[in-house]
Amino acid sequence: MSTLTPAGVEPSPTAPDPATGPRPTRRSGGGGGLGRYVVIRFLLIIPTVLILVTTVFWLMRATGDPITAAQGGRLSPEQLQERIHAAGYDRPIFVQYVEYLGNLLHGDFGTTISDNRPVTEVLTTYGAATLELAVYALIVAFAVGIPLGRIAAARRDRLPDAVLRVSAILSYATPVFFAGLLLKLVFSVSLGWFPVAGRATTGTEIQLEMLDDPTGFYLVDAIRTGDPDAVGDVLMHAVLPAVALGLLTAGVFLRLVRTNMIGTLSTEYVTAARSRGVSERRLVRKHAWRPALIPIITVIGLQIALLLSGAVLTETTFEWKGLGFQLAEYLQARDFVAVQGIVVLIAVVVAVTNFVVDVVAALIDPRVRY
C-alpha cells in the first residue's frame, strides 16, 4: 500500500519512506556511460590511424616516388622509368593513395625497394625484438620510478627528495643515445660486466634459430631451450638497452608518483587519520599509494609512444636488431616503402595501446568517463 503525503500525492521514488527511511538515489547511465565511452574511444582509433597514415604517405611522396629516391643515380634513366612504371608510381598521386589505403585494409604494406622483401615480413621478423625491448624498459621504469617516487613523497622538501627530483629531470632530459653510450663506456668497456651490443652471442642465436617455430622473443625462446646459459646470455645482453630506454620513462613515473602522493597526503581524511595517531608509513601505504597509481596508468599510452620513438636510437646504439634498428637502416637506404610500413605499424600500436589504457583508466577511476 502506497504512502500518501498530506496533500494526497504519492511521494517520489527518492523521497524518504516513513517505514523504511530514506531511499537510495539511483544513478542512471553508469554502465551506459562506460559503454559509450569505450565505443567512442574505439571509434576514434579509425580517424587517428587514418590521419597518421595519410600524413606519412604524403610526407614520403613529397621527395618524389620511392624508386627514384632509393635507386636514383644507380640505374640508367630508361631502367628507372621502367621500374617506376612497373610499380605504378607514374600514376596520379591520389590514385596511388587510394590504392595504398586499399592494400593496407588487406594487410599489404608493400615491398621494400632496397632488399625486395615484403614489408609484413620485416614487421613480423623484427617487431618482436622491439616489443621485447619495450617490455624490458617498462619493467625498469616501474621498478625505478615508482619506489623512488614514494620515497621522494615521504621525504618531501628534504635532501632525498631534492636529489631524486634532480635525478628525475636528468633521466628524461638526457638523450637516450647519450645515456646508452655512457652505459656502454662504463659497464661494458671499462668494467666488462655486460656485452657491448647485440641481443645474444652468436652461439645462443644459432641455438634459438634451431628451435621449431621460434617466437622472435629471445627470452621466451631461450627458456624453451631449457638451457640456463642461454637464458642468462639473453638477459645480460638486455640489461644495458633496457636501462638506457627505461630511465627515460622512470623519471616521468617518479615525478607523477611524488606529486600525486603529496596531494593525497594533504587531503582532509589523511589529516584526520594522522591526528588519530596513524603512522606515516601506514598513511603512505594505505591511503596515498593507490590514488597515486591512477595517473601512471593514464600516461602509460603516451609513454609507450615515447618508448617506441626512443627504441630507434636505443636499438641503433646497442645494435639491437629490431624495428628501430631496421628503420634507421632503411632511412639511410632511402627505402621509403619500408619506412612508411614501419611508421604505420608503430602508429597503429600506439593508437591501440592508448585505447586499452583509456579503458583501464575508466574502469579504475569513473571520473575519467564523465
Side-chain angles (χ1 to χ4, degrees):
M1 179 176 180
S2 61
T3 302
L4 299 179
T5 62
V9 181
E10 186 174 349
S12 64
T14 58
D17 191 296
T20 61
R23 301 187 184 184
T25 58
R26 290 183 179 180
R27 186 174 182 176
S28 60
L34 176 60
R36 285 193 299 270
Y37 177 81
V38 172
V39 171
I40 292 173
R41 290 295 297 121
F42 179 78
L43 293 177
L44 284 177
I45 295 177
I46 300 174
T48 301
V49 174
L50 180 61
I51 292 172
L52 291 171
V53 168
T54 303
T55 302
V56 171
F57 178 88
W58 290 99
L59 286 177
M60 292 292 100
R61 293 298 192 275
T63 57
D65 66 271
I67 293 180
T68 301
Q71 303 293 338
R74 303 178 183 177
L75 302 175
S76 65
E78 293 78 12
Q79 292 175 324
L80 195 62
Q81 287 302 319
E82 288 179 2
R83 294 196 60 178
I84 291 174
H85 179 72
Y89 291 128
D90 55 351
R91 294 174 299 169
I93 188 68
F94 185 76
V95 175
Q96 298 181 43
Y97 170 69
V98 173
E99 182 181 11
Y100 178 68
L101 291 182
N103 291 336
L104 286 182
L105 291 176
H106 292 86
D108 182 6
F109 286 78
T111 304
T112 63
I113 297 173
S114 57
D115 50 9
N116 197 32
R117 299 172 61 186
V119 176
T120 51
E121 179 184 329
V122 175
L123 299 179
T124 54
T125 302
Y126 299 101
T130 298
L131 180 59
E132 188 174 24
L133 178 58
V135 171
Y136 291 151
L138 271 179
I139 293 173
V140 171
F142 283 124
V144 174
I146 294 179
L148 293 183
R150 294 181 63 175
I151 294 173
R155 292 162 176 78
R156 179 184 180 185
D157 296 332
R158 285 182 273 179
L159 181 60
D161 180 29
V163 172
L164 290 175
R165 278 187 291 171
V166 172
S167 300
I169 295 173
L170 291 176
S171 69
Y172 63 74
T174 303
V176 65
F177 71 90
F178 181 71
L181 290 174
L182 283 180
L183 290 173
K184 288 175 65 173
L185 181 63
V186 174
F187 296 102
S188 296
V189 178
S190 298
L191 299 176
W193 291 355
F194 299 101
V196 176
R199 297 179 64 194
T201 59
T202 304
T204 301
E205 288 185 342
I206 294 175
Q207 187 178 1
L208 298 181
E209 290 174 359
M210 293 177 63
L211 287 172
D212 295 331
D213 299 324
T215 63
F217 297 93
Y218 272 20
L219 182 58
V220 175
D221 292 337
I223 294 174
R224 289 174 58 194
T225 64
D227 185 0
D229 293 334
V231 175
D233 181 52
V234 169
L235 290 176
M236 290 292 287
H237 280 79
V239 169
L240 293 185
V243 171
L245 187 57
L247 289 179
L248 184 69
T249 304
V252 178
F253 286 173
L254 191 157
R255 292 181 64 86
L256 277 173
V257 171
R258 175 189 178 275
T259 301
N260 286 278
M261 286 189 66
I262 289 176
T264 305
L265 290 172
S266 302
T267 56
E268 293 182 358
Y269 73 90
V270 173
T271 303
R274 186 181 288 115
S275 65
R276 294 196 303 269
V278 179
S279 65
E280 288 295 322
R281 178 176 298 181
R282 182 177 177 83
L283 288 174
V284 169
R285 187 176 67 253
K286 293 293 185 180
H287 299 287
W289 171 230
R290 289 187 179 179
L293 289 180
I294 295 175
I296 295 279
I297 296 172
T298 57
V299 302
I300 283 180
L302 297 176
Q303 298 310 310
I304 291 294
L306 184 63
L307 288 176
L308 292 176
S309 62
V312 177
L313 297 175
T314 306
E315 292 180 3
T316 304
T317 303
F318 290 95
E319 297 182 24
W320 185 279
K321 300 298 180 64
L323 285 180
F325 183 85
Q326 289 302 122
L327 181 61
E329 294 287 316
Y330 285 128
L331 281 172
Q332 291 181 353
R334 298 180 65 81
D335 192 335
F336 291 158
V337 175
V339 171
Q340 190 169 274
I342 294 174
V343 172
V344 167
L345 177 66
I346 292 175
V348 172
V349 170
V350 171
V352 173
T353 303
N354 275 285
F355 164 73
V356 174
V357 169
D358 287 343
V359 172
V360 173
L363 291 173
I364 294 175
D365 187 0
R367 294 173 299 177
V368 173
R369 61 183 186 264
Y370 292 112

